[in-house]
């Protein structure tokens, strides 16, 4: 994928930008998650959320927010501050939904995983009952974070964020994709079905992250909003295609999880359906689509979004 | 509790009112639940939600909405219609949260129940993995229902409804109460701790139902809103006190579930802490508090709310 690497990954200091953004997101999550919860539940919720993960979803929210702000007329300081706060809340909310889905996915009745990011999974650490409740509470907390009651002027932004997140998390999004995945065990999926499953299972929340960033900057309906939605859709699929490529090309140590797992389980992947070269071409095409959408957005500064697309496609783990 | 029965239960045709309201709620749920979901998931979601339950929470939303509307200036037909729609959505949303909590509660890692309302529980019928996903998807769908995108004028109502529901469902509400319940197995709770557990576990969603009805009628902050919140808090606790009384006084056939279960499990209840007469006095006092709050609300027509309080305290199952 040398063409991709040549393109733009060096033009924007993604590392420095990510570090600064993630410091804010981690601090906010640490300040907010579990504070109202009874002892055991608070601990399980914090264990599930804090100190781990790439936070790609949070970064997408922040990058989309900044891109839209770069093209918007300056606002008064109070509004600007309130919107910044909503963008931070949105970044945390998508991570809460992602974290809850991992807690429930890892449970014995689902994937029955005992390790995640090198630590015991939540149900191993706290028991299944508390893991179930922690996941449930994290989902509710995502919507709580999006609706602070000291910001009535931003009701429209709050409602839009809840709308986007609920659809992305629910039966026409992440949960729906997981149900398709569950039903596909031992069956053959064609490329359209595989694509549909991933659009829901991982794509919906990745795309929603981008759209929520735009919504926090009040640009959901503008032409820029539509272009960013296309960027999010392409990036969401690219993420999964690259996952499938890494599953056969990377070793477990680099990957941080067991390589070759999908093939071993006979699960259909982009590589099994398209071949390795075909899957690489597909990733390349989705990467181009993401960049084309950014170019079409008319936004002056989409560097962070561009760099995230490059990272998703060029990553080694 | 003859004093209660004398008071007002016959003045309002609760049965006829409930039947009409519930017909609308059931129709809406049947029309909305699972329509966007893949096959298996749609079936499990609909199985969990449709055709069962007293729908007390939905009735509280509708009754609070009507009470507030009875005291409000008439609005134009379009706004009135839109608010009616939001109240119906709120009534469905609280039932979705209640239904998802039952699905997850029944799972083997929680209460391990195989029957609910005479039918196999969701995990018995569809397997644990799909039950877990159906519960997760139902919670997301509750927030989806509250944020239709064809009603931008009602963003403030939508945000308020999401805010109330998220807090009531999450770690400072229902999920938090369940965690306290889980942690209390084999321990002794005093009356304050028992009350706190029930305020969260069942009270929060019952109170939220009342407040969401008021919010859909745009009266959350008005004096009437505060009075209705007090009504909801009293009714929520009364519901649990009466549950504890029925657990020792009713037979299983009347109750539709195993009587004496709490006592058999050594769980602390209002009856075990206050004695049967003490618990009855407590229920009576909460009933009086609920009615006093309605009187203080200044709303002209609180008959449905009054009748629901009577029903909660006088019910035999």
């Amino acid at each position: 994928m040398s063409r991709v690497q040549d393109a733009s990954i060096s033009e924007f200091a993604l590392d420095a930008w990510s570090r600064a953004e993630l410091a804010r997101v981690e601090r906010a999550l640490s300040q907010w998650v579990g504070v109202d919860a009874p002892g055991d539940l608070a601990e399980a919720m914090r264990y599930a959320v804090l100190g781990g993960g790439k936070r790609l979803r949070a970064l997408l929210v922040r990058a989309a927010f900044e891109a839209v702000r770069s093209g918007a007329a300056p606002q008064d300081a109070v509004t600007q501050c309130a919107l910044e706060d909503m963008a931070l809340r949105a970044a945390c909310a998508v991570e809460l939904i992602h974290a809850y889905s991992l807690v429930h996915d890892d449970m014995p009745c689902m994937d029955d995983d005992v390790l995640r990011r090198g630590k015991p999974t939540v149900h191993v650490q706290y028991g299944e009952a508390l893991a179930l409740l922690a996941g449930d509470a994290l989902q509710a907390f995502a919507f709580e974070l999006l609706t602070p009651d000291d910001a009535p002027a931003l009701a429209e932004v709050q409602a839009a964020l809840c709308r986007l997140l609920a659809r992305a998390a629910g039966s026409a999004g992440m949960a729906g994709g997981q149900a398709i995945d569950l039903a596909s065990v031992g069956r053959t999926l064609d490329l359209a079905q595989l694509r549909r499953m991933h659009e829901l299972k991982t794509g919906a929340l990745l795309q929603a992250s981008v759209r929520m960033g735009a919504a926090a900057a009040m640009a959901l309906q503008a032409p820029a909003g539509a272009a960013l939605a296309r960027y999010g859709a392409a990036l969401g699929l690219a993420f999964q295609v690259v996952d499938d490529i890494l599953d056969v090309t990377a070793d477990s140590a680099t990957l941080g999880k067991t390589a070759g797992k999908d093939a071993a389980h006979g699960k259909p992947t982009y590589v099994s359906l398209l071949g390795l070269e075909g899957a690489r071409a597909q990733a390349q095409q989705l990467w181009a689509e993401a960049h084309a959408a950014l170019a079409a957005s008319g936004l002056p500064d989409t560097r962070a979004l561009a760099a995230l697309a490059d990272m998703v496609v060029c990553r080694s783990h």
Side-chain angles (χ1 to χ4, degrees), chain A residues 251-303:
Chain A
D251 56 46
S252 300
T254 313
L255 221 49
K257 60 183 178 184
T258 316
K261 208 171 148 189
D262 291 340
H265 284 79
K267 275 194 172 186
T269 71
Y270 285 99
V271 175
S272 71
L273 289 180
L274 297 173
L276 189 56
E277 280 318 300
R280 280 182 171 146
Q282 179 79 45
Q284 179 71 31
Q285 189 194 319
L286 290 165
W287 173 87
E289 280 176 27
H291 278 276
L294 292 183
S297 72
L299 295 169
D301 184 358
T302 56
R303 285 176 303 166

Side-chain angles (χ1 to χ4, degrees), chain A residues 104-146:
Chain A
H104 283 186
D105 269 5
D106 287 338
M107 287 181 67
C109 67
M110 299 282 285
D111 291 350
D112 197 12
D113 276 322
V114 296
L115 281 176
R116 167 144 327 252
R117 296 177 196 131
K119 293 192 306 179
T121 46
V122 177
H123 68 273
V124 169
Q125 188 77 8
Y126 296 98
E128 282 184 54
L130 207 53
L132 180 58
L133 284 177
D136 290 345
L138 287 172
Q139 176 162 210
F141 190 55
F143 294 97
E144 190 171 338
L145 264 194
L146 294 179

Side-chain angles (χ1 to χ4, degrees), chain A residues 224-248:
Chain A
L228 290 182
R230 289 202 306 280
Y231 162 88
L235 178 129
L237 267 181
F239 182 85
Q240 189 58 50
V241 175
V242 174
D243 240 30
D244 288 354
I245 293 172
L246 291 173
D247 191 60
V248 297

